[in-house]
């Protein structure tokens, strides 16, 4: 069973949200999603300065099994991307809640988010 980090919030599309200073949030994809995707070989992230809208696509994650859209769980402006995952997408598989974070957003508003418990219950993960 995939691990669900209890301190994070999650979107129905399997992205996680970590609150940082002020209104900045880090965004990544859950271990539940990485398990389903298999080995991730490519990631296409939004550019710094791009506007993202909660619930809308903002990039892609490509694995050996499929290509999946990346959805923004919040609305705001992208402030940073993780160059390490662009260079080595396997980091998303090996450390989805740490070194495998994808991008940061100065959030204006959140989309519908689930608590870790709600996400784990709906997706078969464990806290």
């Amino acid at each position: 069973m995939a691990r669900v980090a209890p301190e994070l919030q999650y979107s129905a599309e399997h992205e996680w949200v970590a609150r940082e200073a002020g209104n900045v949030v880090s965004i990544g994809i859950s271990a539940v999603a990485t398990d389903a995707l298999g080995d991730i070989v490519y990631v296409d992230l939004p550019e710094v300065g791009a506007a993202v809208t909660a619930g809308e696509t903002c990039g892609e994650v490509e694995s050996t099994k499929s290509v999946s859209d990346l959805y923004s769980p919040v609305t705001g402006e992208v402030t940073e991307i993780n160059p390490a995952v662009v260079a080595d997408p396997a980091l998303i598989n090996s450390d989805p809640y740490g070194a495998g974070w994808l991008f940061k957003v100065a959030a204006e508003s959140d989309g519908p988010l689930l608590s870790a418990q709600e996400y784990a219950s709906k997706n078969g993960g464990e806290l």
Side-chain angles (χ1 to χ4, degrees):
M1 208 177 256
R3 185 174 72 85
V4 173
E7 70 277 12
L8 303 175
Q9 292 179 292
Y10 298 84
S11 71
E13 292 82 19
H14 306 289
E15 285 79 20
W16 57 257
V17 175
R19 306 278 170 197
E20 296 191 6
N23 65 337
V24 175
V25 298
S26 291
I27 296 167
I29 58 174
S30 74
V32 172
T34 63
D35 284 0
L37 285 168
D39 294 333
I40 297 171
V41 296
Y42 175 77
V43 63
D44 178 34
L45 300 176
E47 293 185 17
V48 171
V52 293
T53 302
E56 293 189 8
T57 60
C58 61
E60 285 183 344
V61 176
E62 185 176 329
S63 71
T64 54
K65 293 181 181 179
S66 67
V67 176
S68 297
D69 285 331
L70 183 62
Y71 294 87
S72 181
V74 298
T75 297
E77 181 179 321
V78 177
T79 60
E80 187 179 346
I81 63 164
N82 183 352
V85 299
V86 174
D88 183 12
L91 280 173
I92 301 167
N93 292 103
S94 63
D95 192 7
Y97 301 119
W101 66 274
L102 300 178
F103 60 100
K104 296 184 182 187
V105 174
E108 297 167 8
S109 63
D110 295 347
L113 297 174
L114 304 169
S115 70
Q117 182 64 50
E118 291 168 328
Y119 180 80
S121 295
K122 288 184 180 207
N123 295 287
E126 68 180 357
L127 295 173

